[in-house]
Amino acid sequence: MTATTFAAAAVHAVDLAGTQAFLECLERTSEETARLRAEGVAVPLPDGSPDACPDPRPLAGPLIPGAATVGLMLALAVGYLALPRWRVARRGYQPLTGMPELESAVAELLSGTGVRARVTFLADVLDPTVSALAFGRAGRRQVVLSGGLIALYGRDRAAFRAVVLHELAHIRNRDIDIGFLTLIASRTFGPPMLVVTAVAVLLAPAMFGADRIAAIVVFAVLLGLMGLLVTLLSSAVLRSRELYADARVREWEGSAEGLRHLFATYAAPDRPVRPVGGRRRLAELRRVHPTTGQRLLALAQGRPQPPPGFWDMAAVGAAVAFLFYLFELGPGGGTFRNTAPRTAWGESTGPASVAVLLLVAAGTVVWRAAVEDGIPRTRAAGLGLGLGVCVSNLLATYVVWLGFGIGGAGLSYVLPYTAVMCLAGWGLVRWLAAVAVSWQPVLEAGGRPRLVLAAVLAGSAAGLFGVIEFLLRLPGLLIYGSAFVAPKMPGVVLFFWGSGQLLSDRLTTLLLPLVLTGALVPVTGHALARRLGGRRPASGFGPAVPTAGRMVRLGVPAGAVAAVAAVVVMLGPVSAAWWVVTVVFGLAQVWAALWATRDYAPLRLARGMVAILGCGAVAPLSLATAVQALSCSAGSGACSPLPGAAHVHLAVLATALTSGPAWLVFATLVTAAAAIRRRRGRDVRRAGP
C-alpha cells in the first residue's frame, strides 16, 4: 500500500490543493443531503458524481500500482538472496578450517538433527562472547560460531553442544525466514507509523483546519496503535522462536539438563523485576529475546508458549481490521480514483485476503494450544480477538465518515456492535479449538502436516469469508443508513433492523456457507481421524461409544417426517400461510439435531448442525416430490414427479432460512441440559442402547 501510494504521488503528481477541494465538496454534499433527508425531504443519495464534485485524482490503471508492488517484491527478494553473502563479507566470517576435531563434532551434531538443508559452519574468531547465529536463505543455511564458543568446546562440551543444537533447531523449525520477515515488518512499519502519528497530530490544525482535525486525530491514533502493535507482535514472534528452539533441543536430547546447565553457567543474570506498572511491562513486551527465567520456566512446564491470552488475540484482531481498512483504500492507498480495478480489489481480493490472514493467524495459535492442552479455555482469547477487531474497525470507519462531517450519527449502535463482535470472536476461537482437536490425528498420521493444516484453514476461510466481510463492513453500512436511509431511527433499533435487512438479502451466500463450514470442517476431521486411527477417536472427546445411525445423523428420517407434516398442514381444513410450513421445518430440524445426538456424540453442536442441514434439505425436496405426486394423481397440469431446478433452489433458500434459528434453539437446549447435569453431578452422558 505504501509503495503504490508513493508511486502514484510521484508519477501522477497529484494535485493536493485540488484533492482537498474535492474532499471538501464531498463533505458539503454529504452534510446537506443528510440534513435534508432528516427533515423528510426526498433528495437523491450522494454518489460522488464527477459533475457535482470534480475529482482531480488520476484514474487507477493497473500499471502503476502493479509496477510498484512488483518492485517492492523484487527489492525484498534481492535483499533476501544477497543478505547472507553481505553479512559474511561485512563481518569477516571464516570457514572452520584447520580444526578437524571441531568440524567433526558439528557435523555429528548436524547428522542427528534431521535437518535437510545444506548447512555451512563459519567462525567469528574475534568475538569473545559465547554465542552462535543461524542465518541464510532456504536450502542453504549458515551457522556462525563465535570465538568464545569455539574456546568453550575445549572445556565444556555440554554447553557447546546446547548452543549449536539451539541454532540447528532454528533451521529445523524453519523459523529463520520468519524472523527475517518479522524484522523487516517491524523496522519498516512500526517506528515510521509512530513518527507519522506524532507529525500528523502536530500539523493537523495548520494543514487541514479545525473542521477536519477530528478525522486526522482519529487516523493518527489508529496509525500509532498499529505501529505499537506491529512492534509488540514482532517482538513476541522473535521471543517465541527462541522458546520453540529450546523445546526442539529438549526433544532431541531427551531432557533439558544441557540447556539448564548452559543458562545457569553462562547466561547473564536477569535484572530483578521491580514492582513498577506499565513502563516495566512495556519494556518486557518489547524484548526480542526471552529472559533466562522465562526460558527455564518454559522448559520446566514442558510447553514453549502459554495458551493464547486476551491481549495476544486482541493485537491479532486489531492488526487484521487495520489491514482490511488499507485494502478498502485500494491498490493506491486512496490516491487513485475509484475505478473498476480498484472496486474489484476492494470488494473481493481485499476481504478474502483478510479472511485468510485472520484464520491463519488465529488458527495456528489456537491449534498449537489445543494440541498441547486439548480444547483450552478460550473465553479470554475469543473476547480479545473480537474486541481487537471491533476497536480497530470502528476507528478506521470513523476516519472515513468523520471526513464527511457525519461521523457522529449512529454512535448508539457501538455497544451492540461491540457485543456482537466479542461473541463472534469467542465463537470463532472456540470453533478453531474444536477443529484443531478433530484434525490433529490426521496431521499426525499423514506425511504432510503443513499441507493438511493449510488446506483446513484455507477451506475454513473460504466458508467464513462472507461473514467476516459482513461484520467488518457493518459499521460503515450502519453509519450510512443512520445518515441517509433512516436518520430518525434510534441507533440500537437501526443496528438490529439494518443487520436483519442486510442478512435477509444474503441468506444463501452468507449464512449457508457459515453453517456448512461450521458443521462439516470439524466433523470431517473427526471422521478421518477415526479411519486413520483404527476407529480410535481423537483425544479430548471421551470414550468411544455408539452413536445414532448414519441416516439419523444426516437428518433424513426427520426431513421425511417434516415433509409429511407439511403436507398434512397444507391439506388441512384451514389454509396455512407459508410461514407455518417454515415453522414446521424449523421444529423438525431441532428434533433432527436432538435425535442425531441423543447418545454420546463427539462434537455434538457440529453434528447437530449436520443433522439440521440434512433435514433442511430433505424436507422441502420431499414436500415438492409429494406435491408433484399428488398433482399427477389428480391429473392436473403437467406431471413430473421429480423435483426440478426451481424446487432445488427453493430447498436451498428454505435451508438457509431455517438452519440458523434451529441451531440456536438446539445449542440453547444442549447448553441448558449440560448445565443441569453439572449441577446434579452427572457430567458425562451415557450411551443409549
Side-chain angles (χ1 to χ4, degrees), residues 179-203:
F180 175 75
L181 295 176
T182 300
L183 286 174
I184 290 178
S186 62
R187 293 176 181 177
T188 59
F189 188 84
M193 288 303 100
L194 296 177
V195 173
V196 169
T197 299
V199 173
V201 172
L202 293 176
L203 299 183

Side-chain angles (χ1 to χ4, degrees), residues 148-166:
L149 181 61
I150 294 174
L152 187 67
Y153 174 75
R155 65 177 188 270
D156 195 337
R157 299 287 177 88
F160 174 85
R161 178 184 179 90
V163 173
V164 175
L165 285 178
H166 178 87

Side-chain angles (χ1 to χ4, degrees), residues 451-464:
L451 183 60
V452 175
L453 174 63
V456 172
L457 293 179
S460 302
L464 301 179

Side-chain angles (χ1 to χ4, degrees), residues 376-393:
R377 296 183 179 273
T378 55
R379 182 178 303 171
L383 293 178
L385 179 65
L387 192 60
V389 173
C390 175
V391 172
S392 181
N393 192 36

Side-chain angles (χ1 to χ4, degrees), residues 4 72 87 95 125 143 159 173 225 244 252 283 374 381-382 428 452-453 486 534 636 652:
T4 54
L72 177 62
R87 181 190 292 270
V125 294
V143 177
N173 291 344
L225 177 62
Y244 280 111
W252 285 338
L428 177 62
V452 175
L453 174 63
S636 59
V652 172

Side-chain angles (χ1 to χ4, degrees), residues 454-473:
V456 172
L457 293 179
S460 302
L464 301 179
F465 154 70
V467 178
I468 294 173
E469 177 195 10
F470 174 80
L471 291 176
L472 288 172
R473 293 188 191 277

